[in-house]
Amino acid sequence: MARVQLIAGNWKMNLDRAAAVALAKAVVEQAASVSGVELAVCPPFVYLDCVGKVVAGSAVALGAQNMYHQPNGAYTGEVSASMLCDLGCKYVILGHSERRHILGETDQQINKKVHAALAAGLSPIVCVGETLEEREAGRTLAVIREQFEGSLAGLSAEQMQKVVIAYEPVWAIGTGKVATPQQAQEVHGELRKLLAERYNHQLAEAVRIQYGGSVKPENAAELLQQPDIDGALVGGASLKADQFMGIVAGAKF
Ligand code: 13P
């Protein structure tokens, strides 16, 4: 079964309401002529509602950048999975490296969020990736395995099929230093091997694994043509509709 590539824009903590709506409109407009690729935009929580209204009924899906694992209650400042569903979200990014490294999220916390997201009907985009120090110490695959095992613990095969994994080497995020297609492919291949070991070959072939980290229109095609790269999680370049759509143009389908 061929995997449909997913190109998702992680807008991070950027834009204001007017700019978010304008960007969503431009992406929706340009996406109308795209087929065979899935698109998503992930605005900050406070713009999910207005951006959701723009993308509703279009080829562009809505995603959030985080959530809390509890369904409701006294958790000041947090947002639940059902609240995201209420706003029309299909995806939620979990365990992004900025949340792991700046906000101190652990694999255990991320795992709770993954389970809660799936229980609510969301598809989690679960991020893994090594730091530069870890890569230079030759620990890349060990770190990926540890994050895979921790963040994705306890999932049935049926649940795993709804998960998207995003490989985002920390040293490539926002730095302009993109992983080479070979470096990315090696880790994507390893992740697929881990899936096959834990589940089976068929499931491993069905799960989508995105690459993220300084993806731009100029380097997208080469990355997206790799056999185990099934899309991109795009930061900076997703803030400009033309650049985002330039990346989409590099997708294979
Ligand atoms: P950049 O594309 O800005 O490097 O960010 C990647 C990222 O973190 C996407 O989640």
Side-chain angles (χ1 to χ4, degrees):
M1 190 185 68
R3 299 179 293 270
V4 176
Q5 294 208 327
L6 170 63
I7 314 291
N10 175 6
W11 294 358
K12 305 193 181 183
M13 198 175 74
N14 291 300
L15 308 171
D16 57 20
R17 191 211 302 250
V21 167
L23 176 57
K25 281 184 178 161
V27 171
V28 165
E29 215 174 275
Q30 296 188 40
S33 55
V34 172
S35 63
V37 186
E38 205 185 331
L39 305 188
V41 291
C42 306
F45 282 141
V46 291
Y47 304 137
L48 281 170
D49 196 25
C50 58
V51 168
K53 288 186 174 107
V54 175
V55 303
S58 81
V60 182
L62 187 67
Q65 300 174 16
N66 181 34
M67 52 166 261
Y68 195 55
H69 69 274
Q70 293 286 358
N72 53 50
Y75 303 104
T76 302
E78 295 296 332
V79 172
S80 73
S82 61
M83 290 171 182
L84 300 181
C85 293
D86 203 8
L87 292 177
C89 286
K90 178 173 181 189
Y91 294 103
V92 58
I93 300 170
L94 295 176
H96 189 278
S97 78
E98 285 144 20
R99 298 211 59 85
R100 289 177 185 268
H101 297 287
I102 304 172
L103 285 306
E105 275 188 25
T106 63
D107 279 322
Q108 205 183 9
Q109 288 169 327
I110 295 159
N111 186 240
K112 284 188 191 163
K113 295 182 182 198
V114 171
H115 281 272
L118 287 165
L122 292 166
S123 278
I125 298 175
V126 181
C127 305
V128 296
E130 81 288 1
T131 62
L132 184 60
E133 201 184 354
E134 289 164 340
R135 175 162 282 269
E136 286 176 345
R139 295 194 56 235
T140 299
L141 298 184
V143 168
I144 298 302
R145 178 182 281 267
E146 190 182 312
Q147 292 176 344
F148 172 88
E149 282 169 1
S151 301
L152 298 170
L155 296 180
S156 68
E158 198 189 335
Q159 287 175 314
M160 193 64 224
Q161 274 180 16
K162 300 199 180 88
V163 173
V164 177
I165 301 175
Y167 169 54
E168 299 206 310
V170 179
W171 49 270
I173 296 177
T175 57
K177 256 197 244 168
V178 65
T180 65
Q182 293 70 29
Q183 283 174 323
Q185 169 56 34
E186 184 195 14
V187 176
H188 283 235
E190 177 70 14
L191 281 163
R192 216 174 289 290
K193 212 170 83 192
L194 291 172
L195 286 166
E197 275 167 22
R198 192 202 284 182
Y199 301 96
N200 55 59
H201 180 70
Q202 201 186 358
L203 180 123
E205 286 301 311
V207 173
R208 292 184 291 183
I209 309 174
Q210 295 177 303
Y211 169 79
S214 297
V215 180
K216 306 274 178 272
E218 306 80 62
N219 58 31
E222 218 190 345
L223 286 159
L224 293 169
Q225 299 306 314
Q226 295 300 310
D228 288 303
I229 299 187
D230 309 315
L233 187 54
V234 187
S238 72
L239 298 173
K240 298 250 162 39
D242 288 349
Q243 285 193 28
F244 186 60
M245 298 313 291
I247 292 167
V248 173
K252 63 171 180 277
F253 51 87

XYZ file of all heavy atoms in Angstrom, residues 41-88:
340
model
N -1.965 22.373 8.380
C -1.342 23.532 9.026
C -1.600 23.443 10.527
O -2.669 23.036 10.961
C -1.870 24.882 8.477
C -1.395 25.100 7.050
C -3.399 24.984 8.547
N -0.581 23.810 11.303
C -0.649 23.706 12.761
C -0.375 25.076 13.379
O 0.765 25.406 13.703
C 0.366 22.684 13.263
S 0.220 21.057 12.473
N -1.405 25.885 13.520
C -1.230 27.224 14.104
C -1.161 27.158 15.631
O -1.469 26.114 16.215
C -2.505 27.960 13.666
C -3.516 26.918 13.368
C -2.786 25.625 13.093
N -0.798 28.256 16.284
C -0.856 28.307 17.749
C -2.300 28.054 18.215
O -3.252 28.343 17.483
C -0.435 29.744 18.069
C 0.322 30.211 16.865
C -0.284 29.511 15.706
N -2.463 27.547 19.437
C -3.801 27.244 19.981
C -4.820 28.345 19.708
O -5.924 28.073 19.275
C -3.721 27.092 21.515
C -3.169 25.782 21.997
C -2.319 25.751 23.092
C -3.526 24.579 21.403
C -1.823 24.542 23.585
C -3.032 23.362 21.879
C -2.177 23.353 22.969
N -4.417 29.583 20.007
C -5.390 30.691 19.973
C -5.872 31.015 18.558
O -6.873 31.715 18.402
C -4.830 31.971 20.628
C -4.698 31.775 22.127
C -3.488 32.367 20.016
N -5.187 30.520 17.542
C -5.644 30.766 16.162
C -6.230 29.507 15.517
O -6.543 29.507 14.328
C -4.496 31.327 15.311
C -3.889 32.585 15.885
C -2.507 32.762 15.915
C -4.688 33.590 16.425
C -1.936 33.897 16.472
C -4.128 34.730 16.994
C -2.757 34.868 17.018
O -2.204 35.994 17.574
N -6.387 28.438 16.298
C -6.969 27.212 15.721
C -8.390 27.462 15.229
O -8.800 26.962 14.184
C -6.987 26.085 16.763
C -5.669 25.362 17.003
C -5.778 24.452 18.224
C -5.242 24.556 15.782
N -9.124 28.259 15.984
C -10.527 28.479 15.628
C -10.642 29.260 14.311
O -11.331 28.824 13.386
C -11.223 29.226 16.774
C -12.733 29.137 16.664
O -13.242 28.175 16.041
O -13.412 30.027 17.193
N -9.962 30.380 14.222
C -10.109 31.198 12.998
C -9.458 30.511 11.790
O -10.013 30.545 10.679
C -9.600 32.627 13.197
S -7.899 32.790 13.707
N -8.346 29.854 11.991
C -7.709 29.128 10.872
C -8.567 27.913 10.498
O -8.737 27.594 9.322
C -6.258 28.716 11.236
C -5.691 27.726 10.233
C -5.371 29.952 11.311
N -9.158 27.273 11.499
C -10.031 26.127 11.255
C -11.198 26.489 10.363
O -11.602 25.701 9.503
N -11.721 27.680 10.556
C -12.853 28.125 9.724
C -12.404 28.310 8.278
O -13.150 28.042 7.342
C -13.443 29.422 10.281
C -14.206 29.169 11.571
C -14.936 30.404 12.069
C -15.804 30.058 13.267
N -15.267 30.571 14.525
N -11.187 28.762 8.087
C -10.670 28.980 6.724
C -10.430 27.638 6.017
O -10.762 27.479 4.842
C -9.351 29.792 6.750
C -8.749 29.903 5.352
C -9.587 31.177 7.346
N -9.884 26.670 6.734
C -9.517 25.408 6.066
C -10.674 24.396 6.025
O -10.574 23.394 5.326
C -8.256 24.745 6.693
C -7.075 25.688 6.660
C -8.513 24.251 8.104
N -11.745 24.666 6.762
C -12.872 23.712 6.800
C -13.350 23.403 5.390
O -13.565 24.310 4.587
C -14.011 24.280 7.641
N -13.515 22.133 5.091
C -14.026 21.727 3.779
C -12.997 21.801 2.658
O -13.310 21.482 1.511
N -11.770 22.194 2.979
C -10.721 22.287 1.952
C -9.831 21.037 2.018
O -10.040 20.147 2.831
C -9.857 23.536 2.169
O -8.889 23.282 3.174
N -8.805 21.040 1.187
C -7.860 19.913 1.170
C -6.804 20.051 2.264
O -5.904 19.225 2.368
C -7.173 19.855 -0.192
N -6.910 21.098 3.070
C -5.891 21.348 4.105
C -6.450 20.970 5.473
O -7.490 21.493 5.894
C -5.456 22.832 4.099
C -4.372 23.081 5.134
C -4.992 23.246 2.708
N -5.760 20.074 6.164
C -6.215 19.639 7.492
C -5.663 20.580 8.559
O -4.692 21.311 8.341
C -5.748 18.215 7.757
N -6.300 20.532 9.730
C -5.898 21.380 10.855
C -5.192 20.528 11.910
O -5.623 19.413 12.214
C -7.154 22.017 11.463
C -6.961 23.078 12.544
C -6.301 24.336 11.950
C -8.305 23.450 13.186
N -4.117 21.058 12.460
C -3.401 20.351 13.526
C -3.024 21.319 14.628
O -2.893 22.526 14.397
N -2.859 20.792 15.849
C -2.380 21.610 16.971
C -0.925 21.258 17.238
O -0.408 20.276 16.708
C -3.239 21.342 18.203
N -0.286 22.065 18.067
C 1.154 21.881 18.311
C 1.456 21.154 19.614
O 2.604 20.837 19.908
C 1.843 23.238 18.330
C 1.719 24.015 17.042
C 2.287 25.416 17.157
O 3.026 25.743 18.089
N 1.930 26.266 16.207
N 0.414 20.929 20.418
C 0.602 20.318 21.727
C -0.772 20.073 22.333
O -1.777 20.550 21.786
C 1.411 21.261 22.623
C 1.694 20.703 24.009
O 1.874 19.497 24.180
N 1.700 21.566 25.003
N -0.845 19.380 23.433
C -2.068 19.210 24.218
C -1.670 18.608 25.562
O -0.519 18.220 25.766
C -3.075 18.290 23.518
C -2.485 16.959 23.103
S -3.695 15.720 22.660
C -3.711 14.809 24.222
N -2.653 18.523 26.467
C -2.419 17.884 27.770
C -3.105 16.529 27.772
O -4.090 16.336 27.067
C -2.961 18.772 28.894
C -2.458 18.383 30.258
C -1.092 18.300 30.513
C -3.338 18.093 31.296
C -0.617 17.930 31.759
C -2.871 17.726 32.552
C -1.505 17.642 32.783
O -1.031 17.277 34.024
N -2.589 15.583 28.574
C -3.139 14.227 28.492
C -4.447 14.027 29.231
O -5.175 13.098 28.948
C -2.096 13.196 28.955
C -1.794 13.266 30.413
N -0.845 14.119 30.931
C -2.328 12.599 31.472
C -0.793 13.959 32.246
N -1.685 13.052 32.595
N -4.753 14.903 30.202
C -6.002 14.711 30.948
C -7.198 15.173 30.114
O -7.093 16.130 29.350
C -5.955 15.510 32.257
C -4.929 14.991 33.251
C -5.349 13.683 33.918
O -6.444 13.151 33.681
N -4.470 13.127 34.734
N -8.348 14.536 30.273
C -9.511 14.908 29.446
C -10.152 16.236 29.850
O -10.751 16.916 29.016
C -10.495 13.751 29.644
C -10.073 13.079 30.908
C -8.595 13.322 31.063
N -10.075 16.599 31.126
C -10.638 17.870 31.617
C -10.229 18.019 33.074
O -9.616 17.120 33.631
C -12.173 17.890 31.495
C -12.791 16.667 32.160
O -12.484 16.345 33.308
N -13.607 15.946 31.432
N -10.585 19.147 33.667
C -10.321 19.311 35.098
C -9.480 20.522 35.421
O -9.305 21.421 34.592
N -8.964 20.546 36.649
C -8.247 21.707 37.166
C -6.783 21.661 36.712
O -5.896 21.268 37.467
C -8.343 21.722 38.694
N -6.557 22.011 35.455
C -5.202 22.020 34.882
C -5.006 23.353 34.177
O -5.073 23.453 32.943
C -5.022 20.834 33.907
C -5.293 19.521 34.579
C -6.476 18.842 34.341
C -4.388 18.989 35.498
C -6.756 17.647 34.997
C -4.658 17.797 36.158
C -5.846 17.135 35.902
O -6.116 15.964 36.566
N -4.844 24.386 34.987
C -4.795 25.765 34.504
C -3.821 25.928 33.344
O -2.663 25.538 33.435
C -4.396 26.702 35.667
O -5.348 26.533 36.705
C -4.383 28.161 35.211
N -4.330 26.484 32.275
C -3.476 26.800 31.125
C -3.339 25.672 30.126
O -2.700 25.850 29.095
N -3.922 24.506 30.422
C -3.764 23.371 29.513
C -4.965 23.215 28.579
O -6.029 23.786 28.810
C -3.553 22.080 30.320
C -2.262 22.066 31.120
C -1.009 22.118 30.252
O -1.047 21.659 29.107
O 0.024 22.627 30.732
N -4.778 22.434 27.534
C -5.805 22.226 26.503
C -5.924 20.718 26.265
O -4.911 20.030 26.126
C -5.380 22.952 25.197
C -6.301 22.597 24.051
C -5.354 24.475 25.415
N -7.149 20.203 26.231
C -7.337 18.747 26.102
C -7.526 18.325 24.648
O -7.814 19.141 23.771
C -8.556 18.308 26.906
O -9.730 18.719 26.236
N -7.428 17.008 24.452
C -7.607 16.457 23.104
C -9.016 16.723 22.579
O -9.190 17.066 21.402
C -7.331 14.951 23.134
N -10.014 16.581 23.443
C -11.392 16.784 22.961
C -11.629 18.241 22.569
O -12.424 18.525 21.675
C -12.414 16.303 23.993
O -12.266 17.037 25.172
N -10.932 19.159 23.239
C -11.052 20.579 22.848
C -10.501 20.783 21.437
O -11.049 21.542 20.644
C -10.293 21.472 23.833
C -10.937 21.540 25.200
S -9.865 22.390 26.364
C -10.859 22.243 27.852
N -9.415 20.075 21.139
C -8.822 20.187 19.792
C -9.758 19.591 18.745
O -9.924 20.154 17.658
C -7.455 19.499 19.753
C -6.396 20.049 20.718
C -5.083 19.288 20.545
C -6.182 21.545 20.496
N -10.406 18.479 19.097
C -11.371 17.862 18.172
C -12.529 18.819 17.923
O -13.007 18.962 16.798
C -11.919 16.561 18.755
S -10.682 15.272 18.873
N -12.946 19.464 18.997
C -14.058 20.415 18.933
C -13.776 21.524 17.909
O -14.670 22.046 17.255
C -14.193 21.014 20.339
C -15.561 21.564 20.620
O -16.457 21.340 19.786
O -15.730 22.219 21.659
N -12.512 21.891 17.777
C -12.130 22.960 16.849
C -11.811 22.420 15.456
O -11.389 23.170 14.583
C -10.914 23.717 17.391
C -11.181 24.544 18.653
C -9.901 25.197 19.139
C -12.229 25.617 18.401
N -11.993 21.125 15.271
C -11.798 20.560 13.928
C -10.406 20.028 13.656
O -10.044 19.778 12.503
